[in-house]
Amino acid sequence: MRAALVARCGQPPVVGDHPAPSAGPRQALVRTVTAPITPLDLLCASGTSYFGEPATPYVPGVQGVGVVESSASVPAGTPVWFPTSAGMAPGDGSLAERVVVADAELVVLSGTVDEQHLAALGLSAIAAWTALLLRGGLEAGERVLVLGSSGVVGRVALQAARLHGAGAVWGAALEPEAHQDALDLGADGFVALARDDSAESLTERMRETVGEVDLVLDPLCGVPATAALGCLAPHGRLVNLGSSAGATATFSSAQLRSGSRTILGYTNNDLTAEQRSDAMTRIEEHAAAGRLAVPYEVFGLDRVGEAWTRQANGEVHGRAVVDLRD
């Protein structure tokens, strides 16, 4: 079968022939329709993630949308979304014509959302959704600040916060166009970030815009997270799910303790199959109704190296999605 293959960590995948997989007990054979290239794919294939360096060659792709060809629990022909552990554990991922997935991991789809759009939402949307609701405990009426609001996670978080009754929502990002994008997605305001921000100046600028917030969604860490911690209201929570702006952030012990404020870590890997399925089902429902959307660009499998490089360089508007249909 045709597949994208990472032959060497740190290098884009190339298209080649790869042995077709066979499903074992409690496994499904899925024909992949489309799969996104995500920050997690790039990190795993770099060989520098906390999962360790993957054995090469391997097929990347930590998720996909496809059609069941055989399964003990799902009828053949059923459209599904599925995760994989490619790059995090031995085995191949979704950027191949066929993939083997545990039956329990399949999420049956209604087919009401374009496959490429659903792939673009995927795990990033699940992360935003569950980090806000399960980990962050968002309640109606609370004030939310979304760092990195220009990314797929951030865009979904802005929309999800509104869908769940947030009293006010603000975005924060580097890109000049991100201000209007955040307002278009329902934000009440926006904080412009800069690469040379100091924590002190950014905290002051944030507080001028948002005052205090109850919940911060943080895929950035670094200076933006440090500044956002200074804007947390008493009993406020910051949920970190990434470090694209820096590996560390700092906080004041007095400020944290005096208001019983909380810093929380989040990873999709802690979700149960049931939690992941429930989140994806809700995401599909809202996307079908036009209440949840992210931008994406579609590439054929023969252009997977280009798609990979452009996603890594931040040259894709939204998410790069690879279509594996002929």
Side-chain angles (χ1 to χ4, degrees), residues 121-135 153 156-157 217 239 241 266-268 271 276 279 283:
L121 286 161
L123 284 169
S124 294
I126 289 173
W129 193 271
T130 54
L132 281 174
L133 302 180
L134 297 184
R135 193 67 169 140
V153 170
V156 173
L217 190 80
V239 182
L241 62 164
Y266 174 88
T267 172
N268 277 338
L271 297 178
R276 193 164 47 238
I283 288 163

Side-chain angles (χ1 to χ4, degrees), residues 40-289:
L40 181 56
D41 291 308
L42 301 173
L43 177 62
C44 288
S46 73
T48 62
S49 79
Y50 54 79
F51 299 107
E53 184 172 328
T56 55
Y58 81 98
V59 177
V62 297
Q63 61 184 307
V65 175
V67 177
V68 172
E69 291 198 338
S70 66
S71 167
S73 60
V74 178
T78 300
V80 291
W81 175 88
F82 59 89
T84 86
S85 57
M88 296 174 278
D92 291 326
S94 58
L95 284 166
E97 292 176 324
R98 301 290 188 279
V99 61
V100 167
V101 184
D103 279 316
E105 299 285 2
L106 298 175
V107 178
V108 174
L109 302 173
S110 67
T112 55
V113 179
D114 178 84
E115 294 99 337
Q116 286 84 6
H117 188 198
L118 199 60
L121 286 161
L123 284 169
S124 294
I126 289 173
W129 193 271
T130 54
L132 281 174
L133 302 180
L134 297 184
R135 193 67 169 140
L138 175 63
E139 296 183 2
E142 288 192 315
R143 300 155 294 176
V144 179
L145 171 61
V146 177
L147 303 180
S149 60
S150 59
V152 175
V153 170
R155 286 172 176 270
V156 173
L158 290 175
Q159 296 168 85
R162 276 294 183 218
L163 287 170
H164 287 87
V169 184
W170 291 272
L174 282 169
E175 298 82 359
E177 66 274 12
H179 187 166
Q180 188 58 51
D181 285 348
L183 297 181
D184 291 343
L185 292 173
D188 295 281
F190 181 81
V191 180
L193 305 181
R195 296 191 188 280
D196 59 352
D197 274 327
S198 68
E200 294 77 11
S201 64
L202 182 55
T203 300
E204 183 178 348
R205 200 159 72 247
M206 276 187 179
R207 291 188 68 89
E208 289 174 354
T209 300
V210 308
E212 289 187 327
V213 295
D214 303 293
L215 180 59
V216 175
L217 190 80
D218 169 36
L220 302 183
C221 198
V223 169
T226 297
L229 284 165
C231 299
L232 278 182
H235 303 286
R237 295 89 65 203
L238 181 145
V239 182
N240 173 263
L241 62 164
S243 56
S244 60
T248 61
T250 60
F251 63 87
S252 158
S253 174
Q255 200 251 358
L256 201 64
R257 291 181 294 114
S258 65
S260 296
R261 298 168 176 92
T262 306
I263 301 172
L264 300 161
Y266 174 88
T267 172
N268 277 338
N269 291 335
D270 272 352
L271 297 178
T272 65
E274 183 180 5
Q275 288 171 328
R276 193 164 47 238
S277 178
D278 179 66
M280 177 51 69
T281 298
R282 296 294 307 280
I283 288 163
E284 186 189 23
E285 290 173 357
H286 286 295

Side-chain angles (χ1 to χ4, degrees), residues 294-320:
V294 295
Y296 58 94
E297 294 183 35
V298 180
F299 301 79
L301 180 59
D302 59 335
R303 296 175 60 201
V304 68
E306 175 193 351
W308 189 276
T309 300
R310 288 186 56 199
Q311 186 75 69
N313 292 340
E315 297 169 356
V316 174
H317 185 48
R319 180 71 73 234

